Each structure stands twice: as C-alpha cells, then as structure tokens.
C-alpha cells in the first residue's frame, strides 16, 4: 500500500515537472535530482569565502529558523549573485538550492521574455504560486537583468516594468509572511538593476562572484579532466594560463 502511494506521488511529480517544462521553467521535486544538485555544492571550486558567507548568512538562518530568531537574525529571502559571464553564478545558485534540499524552480528570464512575451506576466505569477504550493522552495531567476532593468530605461508599452512590479510585490509578500521561499537572481549587469530591488526585504544579500584566479583555474581544469586520458607532459600549470 505504502509502495503504491509512493509510486503515485512520483508519477504526479513527474507530471508536474513536465508541465513546468512546457510552460518555460524547470521544477525539480524529485529527491534524487535534488540530491544531485546538492553534490554541486562541493563541485564549486575557488569560491570558499562566498560559500562560507552564504552558509552562515543565508542557509543556516533559513534552515534553523528557531535558532536564528534566538540570535535576532532575520532570514534572508532574496540573494542576488552578480559577476562576469561563466564564473559559476548559475552553478552556485543551483548548489545553494541543493544544499537547502528544497523544491527548486529555475527560470531563465531572458528566455521567458523572448519565447513567451505576451504570456510572461502570467508565467511569472504562476511561478510564485507553484513555489508556494511546493514550499519550502528555492526560485532561481537566471538572467535577472532582463527584467530588473531600471524602470526609467523603458519605453511606455514595455512589458518588463509590469513583470518587475509582480516580482517586487511577490518578494514583499514572502518577506512579510516569512515564507519558506528563497529567490536567487543571477546577473552580469547589476548596474542596470532597478534600485527598488535592493530595498530591505527584497534582495538583502548581494554577492559578487569574481572571475577565477590562476589557482582556481587549475582546480577547475583538474576537476574537468579527472578520469580522462591526458598526455603526461600536459601540466595544469601550463594549461591554466
Ligand atoms: N567556480 C566554479 N567551479 C567549478 N566549475 C565552474 C565554476 N565556475 C564556472 N564553472 C564551470 O563553468 C560553467 C559555466 O558556469 P555558469 O553557467 O554557472 O556561469 P554563469 O556565471 O552563470 O555565467 P553567465 O553569466 O553566462 O550565465 C559551469 O557549468 C561549470 O562547469
Ligand atoms: Mg548563468
């Protein structure tokens, strides 16, 4: 009987995840998939300071609400990761979700706007509804600058200011009722973001993800080439430059 129930739950999760994909975002409910996200935490190399900071100021307070209340810490519901392209922002965002072990929703805003232009407001609102339904949830909004752009930079019929308003009011709601939802935005153009996003209770944690230094680049190469046949004389020192 129990086995059958687990099976039904699994089928429903699969179905939900398929529907999500069709609607332009990824919904990760499956425990195995969440575990594999968690393993990405250890695969992020060279960002130890950032990982420590995230662990103490974001993950621990969200995980142990009672403890953080005892110390007067307010749980953070919004983290913005910014930095140049390809430095691991998306990877880190996914790893944070895995570390928390929460339902994970991933949406690429650039894609949402280009593929589902007329539908994008509905889809963004839907995302938050789904997140609440499956809470605790991490919502990863990739290419955040596609919507977060300062409102002054728009022409009047642009859909993005309306998306921004939806986002702001959803984030305010999450903070106000202290819901178990964490929104992680990633961008490489933080200077374009609307200052309203950085008001208290929204993206309270803004983290710069720097490009890797030589040592980190060597570690990345080692990780990528692990178990692969490589020439003896090919040293990491010569490659990483
Ligand atoms: N710190 C890191 N540790 C391990 N691998 C990394 C790291 N940074 C980047 N990578 C590798 O580079 C790939 C690209 O990283 P990622 O997509 O997270 O970059 P990004 O910062 O989100 O870039 P973009 O701004 O273009 O979206 C990853 O899939 C990963 O393989
Ligand atoms: Mg990215």
């Amino acid at each position: 009987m129990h086995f059958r129930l687990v099976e039904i739950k699994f089928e429903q999760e699969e179905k939900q995840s398929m529907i999500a994909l069709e609607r332009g975002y990824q919904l990760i409910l499956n425990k195995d998939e969440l575990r594999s996200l968690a393993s990405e935490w250890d695969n992020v190399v060279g960002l130890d300071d950032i990982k420590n900071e995230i662990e103490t100021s974001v993950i621990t307070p969200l995980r142990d609400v009672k403890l953080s209340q005892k110390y007067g810490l307010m749980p953070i519901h919004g983290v913005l990761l910014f930095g140049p392209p390809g430095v691991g922002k998306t990877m880190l965002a996914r790893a944070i979700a895995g570390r928390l072990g929460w339902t994970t929703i991933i949406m690429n805003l650039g894609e949402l706007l280009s593929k589902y232009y007329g539908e994008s407001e509905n889809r963004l609102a839907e995302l938050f509804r789904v997140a609440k339904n499956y809470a605790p949830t991490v919502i990863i909004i990739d290419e955040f600058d596609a919507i977060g752009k300062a409102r002054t930079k728009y022409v009047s019929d642009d859909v993005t200011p309306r998306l921004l308003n939806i986002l702001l009011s959803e984030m305010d709601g999450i903070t106000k009722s202290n819901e178990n939802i964490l929104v992680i935005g990633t961008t490489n153009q933080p200077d374009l973001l609307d200052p309203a996003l950085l008001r208290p209770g929204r993206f309270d944690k803004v983290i710069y993800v720097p490009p890797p230094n030589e040592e980190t680049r060597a570690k990345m190469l080692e990780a990528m080439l692990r178990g692969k046949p490589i020439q003896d004389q090919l040293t990491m020192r010569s490659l990483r430059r």
Side-chain angles (χ1 to χ4, degrees):
M1 184 59 190
H2 179 66
F3 183 69
R4 179 76 191 126
L5 281 178
V6 170
E7 214 171 288
I8 291 171
K9 187 164 168 269
F10 182 72
E11 276 170 20
Q12 281 170 346
E13 285 180 1
E14 286 263 284
K15 213 165 132 198
Q16 279 304 321
S17 299
M18 292 293 289
I19 293 172
L21 272 185
E22 278 164 21
R23 295 187 62 77
Y25 59 94
Q26 205 185 337
L27 169 67
I28 308 176
L29 291 162
N30 181 290
K31 290 277 173 274
D32 288 337
E33 269 182 76
L34 288 171
R35 261 193 291 276
S36 91
L37 276 190
S39 67
E40 286 193 29
W41 180 260
D42 296 323
N43 296 338
V44 177
V45 294
L47 299 174
D48 291 346
D49 290 350
I50 291 175
K51 278 160 75 175
N52 282 339
E53 192 187 342
I54 291 171
E55 184 85 54
T56 36
S57 61
V58 182
I59 294 176
T60 309
L62 283 173
R63 263 203 190 141
D64 200 335
V65 177
K66 282 217 178 90
L67 182 74
S68 45
Q69 275 170 351
K70 224 163 145 183
Y71 287 94
L73 283 174
M74 293 294 288
I76 284 175
H77 296 284
V79 176
L80 188 68
L81 303 174
F82 76 99
V87 293
K89 298 182 295 296
T90 302
M91 188 182 186
L92 193 59
R94 293 165 57 95
I96 295 170
R99 189 91 181 129
L100 278 166
W102 291 3
T103 303
T104 302
I105 295 180
I106 306 174
M107 171 173 268
N108 185 312
L109 265 182
E111 218 174 271
L112 176 80
L113 276 169
S114 58
K115 274 201 202 154
Y116 308 98
Y117 190 79
E119 272 286 303
S120 48
E121 287 155 279
N122 283 343
R123 304 263 160 122
L124 188 65
E126 172 183 318
L127 201 85
F128 282 92
R129 274 200 303 278
V130 173
K132 281 174 204 160
N133 194 21
Y134 289 104
T137 307
V138 176
I139 303 176
I140 299 175
I141 306 185
D142 240 342
E143 288 192 26
F144 196 78
D145 35 299
I147 165 195
K149 260 199 284 178
R151 276 169 280 194
T152 47
K153 294 197 170 67
Y154 288 111
V155 286
S156 58
D157 66 337
D158 207 320
V159 66
T160 33
R162 295 202 293 274
L163 282 180
L164 183 63
N165 286 336
I166 294 175
L167 189 81
L168 292 175
S169 79
E170 289 290 352
M171 288 190 80
D172 288 346
I174 289 169
T175 306
K176 207 165 153 212
S177 23
N178 201 4
E179 284 178 71
N180 268 337
I181 294 181
L182 173 69
V183 182
I184 308 177
T186 79
T187 174
N188 30 54
Q189 292 180 300
D191 46 322
L192 286 185
L193 295 186
D194 196 302
L197 284 163
L198 304 176
R199 299 231 175 90
R202 290 164 183 172
F203 286 101
D204 282 326
K205 195 98 202 145
V206 180
I207 297 173
Y208 173 60
V209 186
N213 59 20
E214 227 182 76
E215 196 190 326
T216 307
R217 294 205 296 276
K219 278 193 201 149
M220 282 176 181
L221 280 169
E222 263 158 20
M224 283 166 136
L225 296 174
R226 198 166 294 140
K228 305 217 166 49
I230 52 168
Q231 271 182 315
D232 289 348
Q233 66 269 41
L234 204 67
T235 63
M236 292 305 148
R237 186 167 289 278
S238 68
L239 267 178
R240 71 191 173 190
R241 286 185 204 279

